[in-house]
Amino acid sequence: MKYMLIMRSSDQAEADFANIDFEEVVESMGRYNAEMIDAGVLIAAEGLDDAANGVVVDFTATPPVATDGPYGETKELFGGYWIVDVATQPEAVEWAQRAPLGPGMKIEVRRVPSIDEFPFQNEWTAKERAWRESAGQL
């Protein structure tokens, strides 16, 4: 089963992060990612650019409204993710607990459903399945 490990942090954690040597961060994340690669569980991993460079598309209005970052009253920011392929949710949680993160940081663990869990009789699901097969994702 695939799980997404979603890295989240508070505004304070982001401010504290700015005081850490970036080379040290790259080194510790590199070791963590290498451990997952060596175990054969890492599917994908990406960090995200500063939230101040992002845009939020809000669908509470018609048409949707796009707002540039930084965002007011942000309690948590999505900072990056890993996708792991493991047997169980507890195993995904174990990997999340090994991440080299500090105070104010969290990892949310969410299962990524397989395309096989969606009904095949739906035209759009069938098209997505065909695309995944042609892209070598199945």
Side-chain angles (χ1 to χ4, degrees):
M1 286 182 271
K2 291 181 188 171
Y3 287 87
M4 178 179 264
L5 311 180
I6 304 165
M7 185 185 345
R8 300 183 324 196
S9 62
S10 65
D11 288 334
Q12 183 59 52
E14 290 289 318
D16 293 345
F17 181 77
N19 298 321
I20 298 173
D21 178 26
F22 190 67
E23 199 167 308
E24 182 182 317
V25 171
V26 171
E27 178 72 25
S28 62
M29 282 295 177
R31 282 193 304 273
Y32 176 63
N33 290 345
E35 187 179 349
M36 288 193 289
I37 290 166
D38 291 345
V41 301
L42 187 63
I43 302 292
E46 297 291 342
L48 298 177
D49 194 10
D50 188 316
N53 299 325
V55 175
V56 171
V57 179
D58 185 345
F59 288 85
T60 56
T62 303
V65 176
T67 307
D68 291 338
Y71 317 114
E73 299 185 41
T74 302
K75 292 189 174 116
E76 292 184 331
L77 299 169
F78 177 19
Y81 70 90
W82 297 267
I83 296 180
V84 295
D85 190 355
V86 295
T88 65
Q89 185 181 49
E91 186 178 355
V93 170
E94 287 176 25
W95 281 108
Q97 289 173 322
R98 295 180 193 179
L101 303 179
M105 305 287 286
K106 295 179 182 179
I107 293 182
E108 180 179 344
V109 177
R110 304 268 303 271
R111 192 172 71 84
V112 179
S114 161
I115 189 67
D116 293 332
E117 295 178 55
F118 294 89
F120 287 106
Q121 64 272 18
N122 180 292
E123 169 190 3
W124 300 107
T125 304
K127 286 181 180 184
E128 181 176 339
R129 182 172 181 67
W131 169 77
R132 288 180 182 276
E133 287 175 345
S134 71
Q137 295 182 12
L138 289 180

